[in-house]
Amino acid sequence: MSSLLPSYTPPMAELVTPELVAPPEVLPNLDRWWGSLRRRELSSSPSVVQSSAQLLGSLDEVDVVIAGGTLGILLGAALAKRGWRVILIERGILRGRDQEWNISGQELQVLLALELLSPAELEQVKVTHYPSGRIGFAGGPSWWVEDVLNVGVDPVGLLERLKSRFLEWGGQLVEQQAFVGATVHPDGIHIQTDTDRIRAQVLLDAMGHRSPVVAQARKGQLPDSVCLVVGSCARGLPAQPTGDLFYSFAPAQSGYQPFWEAFPARDGRTTYLFTYCDLHPARPSLSTLWQDYLQGLPTYQGVDLAQITWVRKLCGVFPAYRCSPLQMPWDRILAVGDSSGSQSPLSFGGFGAMLRHLERLQQGIHEALSLRQLDRAALALLQPYQPNLAVTGLFQKAMIPPLKESHWDPQSINRLLSSVFGAMFAAGPQVVKPFLQDVVQFGGLAQALLGVMGRDPLLVASLLKQIGPWELIQWMGHLGSLGAYDLLNRIPVGWEGAASNYFWKRRREAWQYGSGGDHGG
C-alpha cells in the first residue's frame, strides 16, 4: 500500500483485530438496503399521495405542514416567524444527533440574516473550530485550505434553540407521529398521520431521500450512484488541531477508491472513510467498508485500535439521481432538504445544502402562499434545474474505478485528483473554496479543466475513454447550461415591476443558484 503517512505497526501485545470491533448498530439494516440496490431489487412502495377533485370546502386548519423535523425545523422556524401557521410532524422526538455537523462559518450567517438565532446563540452552538483542512492524494502534494467545513455545530443545541423559537412564533410541533399519507384537493391538502388528519395549504416533504413521498414521485427509480460512508468519533487518537477535507493515501482497491476525512471533535476526533459507487454488484458492501476503515485507521491516524475508545460509530448511504432536484408531480407538495436531492453527488447530504437554499426557499414559499401559487408548475420553480450541481455527476463518475479493465492503473484516480486540485489551487482560493462547499462556478471550472489538460493530457484522454461518449455529451450539455446561467445571472432586471413577479423572481434565482452566483466567499 502506497502511503503519504508513515506505516504504523502496533505492539503485538496490544493487537486488536478489526473483526473484534463491532460495527455501527444501523449498519446491518443499511447494508441490506444497499445490497438490494446493487441487486436492483428496490421494493415497491405503497402510494401515499392521492388526488381528489372534491373541494375541501372549509377554511384551512393551517397554512403549512412539514413532514420531517431534523432539517424541516429550519424552514418551519423561518415560515412561522413570518406569521404562517405551521405544523411540524416528527415521527420520533425532535432532537439533533450527538455527532457534530461540520460546516463553513460563512454558511451559518443565514441563521442571523433570518433572525432565527441571535449572535450569542450562534456562538453557543459552535462547539469546535479548526484553522485549516488538508487536501492530498497518494503520491502527490498536499494543500491546505482555510474556512471550509472548519466549524463543528452541535445539532442538539441548534435544534433545541430553533424549536424554542418555532414554538414562540406560533408553530405547532407534533412529535411521535409518523406521516402516513396525503390527499391533494383543488383547494387544499389533507395530511394523514398515525392518529390525526390535518388540513393545510401545502405540504413540505423533509423526510429525506428515503421518504415514501419521494419513492412514489420517482416511481421506483433506482439511484444512479451512491456515496458510502463509515466512520467514528473516538478518543485515544493523537491530538491534531487541523482537519482533512479530502485525503487519500492508497490506490483503488476491491472495486472502489478509498477517501478519508477527519475533524477535531469535542468528544475526541471524527474520522470517515468514504467512496463513490455505481450500483454494480461487485461494489463493496458497508460491512467491507467498515472492515477496511478499521484496517486503514491505524496507518491514517498513527494509533493502534487497542488505544481507541469508541464514542460513536457512524455509517451512511447517500443516493444521487441525475433527475435532481426533484420536482413533485402533484400540486401543493414541495420536496426540501435531502428529499429534493438539492445537493451535488459529491456531497454527504443535507445540512449544508439546506442552509445554502434556506433564504431562497423561505422567501419563495412565503410568496407562493401569499399569491396562492401552489400548483405543480409554480412549486417546481422552487426546485429548479441547477447545472452547477449537474456537472459534478461526471466528477463523481471519474472517481469510480472501472471493474473490467485489466490494464487500468489503480493510482489513476489519485493522479487525476492531484492534477485537478493542483490546477484549482494554482488559480486561487476563489476557485477552490466554492468547489469544496458544493458550489461549482463556470469560470473556476474552466480554469481547472484547462489546467488539468495541460498538466496530464494522457490521463485526461484515458479518463474520457473510460467515461464514454454518451456521458461526455450529456456533461457538455450541463457545462453549456452552466455557462449560459452564469451569463444570464449577470444581466440586470430588464423591465419595471419584473422583480416583484413570482415567476420572474424564481427564474432569476435559478440562474443565480444554478451558476453558483449565490456563493458568498
Side-chain angles (χ1 to χ4, degrees):
M1 177 182 291
S2 173
S3 174
L4 298 181
L5 298 174
S7 178
Y8 180 81
T9 304
M12 291 303 295
E14 300 178 4
L15 185 63
V16 172
T17 62
E19 292 77 10
L20 298 178
V21 181
E25 290 185 11
V26 299
L27 189 146
N29 285 336
L30 274 179
D31 219 2
R32 279 192 288 273
W33 181 60
W34 168 226
S36 72
L37 294 182
R38 284 180 289 146
R39 293 189 301 272
R40 301 184 179 273
E41 297 175 351
L42 193 63
S43 59
S44 59
S45 301
S47 294
V48 295
V49 178
Q50 310 291 335
S51 296
S52 171
Q54 182 180 356
L55 295 174
L56 288 174
S58 60
L59 295 176
D60 306 325
E61 182 178 326
V62 294
D63 300 303
V64 182
V65 169
I66 303 176
T70 303
L71 292 179
I73 189 65
L74 290 158
L75 263 177
L79 292 171
K81 186 178 187 301
R82 302 194 72 150
W84 296 106
R85 298 167 296 168
V86 183
I87 288 182
L88 185 64
I89 301 170
E90 173 56 44
R91 66 179 178 181
I93 298 296
L94 182 58
R95 181 185 184 276
R97 67 176 193 173
D98 293 320
Q99 183 63 33
E100 292 101 310
W101 286 331
N102 277 84
I103 193 87
S104 307
Q106 175 268 333
E107 295 176 281
L108 294 169
Q109 294 306 303
V110 66
L111 300 175
L112 300 180
L114 297 178
E115 299 181 343
L116 301 183
L117 295 181
S118 69
E121 289 173 321
L122 182 58
E123 289 305 313
Q124 288 168 2
V125 300
K126 296 178 182 178
V127 293
T128 59
H129 178 275
Y130 64 91
S132 58
R134 178 175 57 168
I135 296 171
F137 307 96
S142 291
W143 302 272
W144 295 88
V145 63
E146 298 179 348
D147 302 323
V148 174
L149 300 181
N150 64 318
V151 176
V153 172
D154 171 22
V156 175
L158 175 62
L159 265 62
E160 195 60 41
R161 287 164 176 80
L162 290 172
K163 180 169 70 172
S164 177
R165 291 292 180 89
F166 173 69
L167 297 173
E168 175 187 329
W169 291 324
Q172 301 177 55
L173 177 60
V174 180
E175 295 179 305
Q176 295 183 309
Q177 287 284 325
F179 170 87
V180 174
T183 303
V184 180
H185 297 264
D187 57 343
I189 183 168
H190 252 140
I191 293 95
Q192 178 71 52
T193 69
D194 289 332
T195 61
D196 198 8
R197 286 176 65 86
I198 306 169
R199 196 164 54 245
Q201 278 295 314
V202 68
L203 168 67
L204 305 183
D205 177 9
M207 292 182 283
H209 51 75
R210 297 184 71 179
S211 156
V213 179
V214 169
Q216 184 178 345
R218 292 197 181 276
K219 300 179 180 179
Q221 176 192 4
L222 290 165
D224 296 290
S225 57
V226 300
C227 176
L228 303 179
V229 184
V230 296
S232 70
C233 178
R235 300 189 184 99
L237 280 68
Q240 300 179 53
T242 57
D244 285 342
L245 299 176
F246 200 4
Y247 194 72
S248 170
F249 57 87
Q253 56 191 43
S254 304
Y256 77 98
Q257 172 63 56
F259 300 109
W260 295 81
E261 208 173 34
F263 305 111
R266 58 181 169 175
D267 296 328
R269 188 166 179 83
T270 298
T271 54
Y272 295 111
L273 170 62
F274 67 97
T275 192
Y276 303 107
C277 295
D278 55 28
L279 304 190
H280 194 283
R283 299 303 178 189
S285 66
L286 274 181
S287 298
T288 296
L289 210 65
W290 174 253
Q291 290 299 309
D292 290 350
Y293 167 75
L294 297 174
Q295 291 279 4
L297 188 60
T299 297
Y300 178 45
Q301 293 292 300
V303 63
D304 176 30
L305 293 179
Q307 298 173 276
I308 295 176
T309 300
W310 308 98
V311 179
R312 287 179 293 277
K313 299 168 185 174
L314 313 162
C315 64
V317 179
F318 299 94
Y321 298 84
R322 294 178 190 270
C323 185
S324 290
L326 175 63
Q327 297 177 348
M328 289 295 190
W330 309 282
D331 298 341
R332 300 183 180 275
I333 302 178
L334 177 69
V336 297
D338 286 346
S339 295
S340 68
S342 57
Q343 71 276 6
S344 85
L346 305 180
S347 173
F348 282 19
F351 181 53
M354 178 64 95
L355 285 184
R356 180 189 172 207
H357 294 280
L358 182 59
E359 187 167 7
R360 176 184 70 83
L361 283 173
Q362 64 87 30
Q363 179 64 30
I365 295 168
H366 167 74
E367 293 180 16
L369 287 164
S370 300
L371 300 170
R372 299 291 179 176
Q373 296 287 351
L374 299 173
D375 62 24
R376 172 184 172 182
L379 292 180
L381 294 175
L382 294 173
Q383 292 295 4
Y385 165 66
Q386 296 179 56
N388 71 326
L389 298 184
V391 294
T392 61
L394 189 74
F395 302 153
Q396 189 202 62
K397 188 174 181 64
M399 291 186 280
I400 300 175
L403 293 170
K404 298 180 180 179
E405 295 188 22
S406 58
H407 299 295
W408 183 80
D409 179 6
Q411 285 287 13
S412 61
I413 294 175
N414 286 319
R415 285 175 52 205
L416 174 66
L417 290 172
S418 286
S419 295
V420 168
F421 278 94
M424 286 197 290
F425 274 95
Q430 76 281 1
V431 172
V432 69
K433 287 178 71 172
F435 182 85
L436 292 172
Q437 292 174 292
D438 215 16
V439 181
V440 176
Q441 298 171 325
F442 183 77
L445 179 58
Q447 290 184 64
L449 292 174
L450 291 173
V452 172
M453 287 188 286
R455 288 166 178 257
D456 202 336
L458 294 179
L459 179 61
V460 173
S462 65
L463 174 64
L464 294 179
K465 179 182 177 182
Q466 172 191 332
I467 290 171
W470 177 238
E471 291 279 354
L472 186 60
I473 290 170
Q474 288 185 309
W475 182 80
M476 291 295 291
H478 295 311
L479 180 63
S481 296
L482 179 60
Y485 274 46
D486 182 66
L487 178 61
L488 289 166
N489 186 49
R490 298 173 188 272
I491 299 174
V493 175
W495 56 85
E496 186 177 356
S500 62
N501 180 277
Y502 173 84
F503 293 92
W504 174 251
K505 288 179 72 173
R506 303 292 82 80
R507 290 188 179 94
R508 293 287 301 181
E509 289 170 351
W511 299 337
Q512 179 188 17
Y513 282 77
S515 65
D518 62 296
H519 187 263

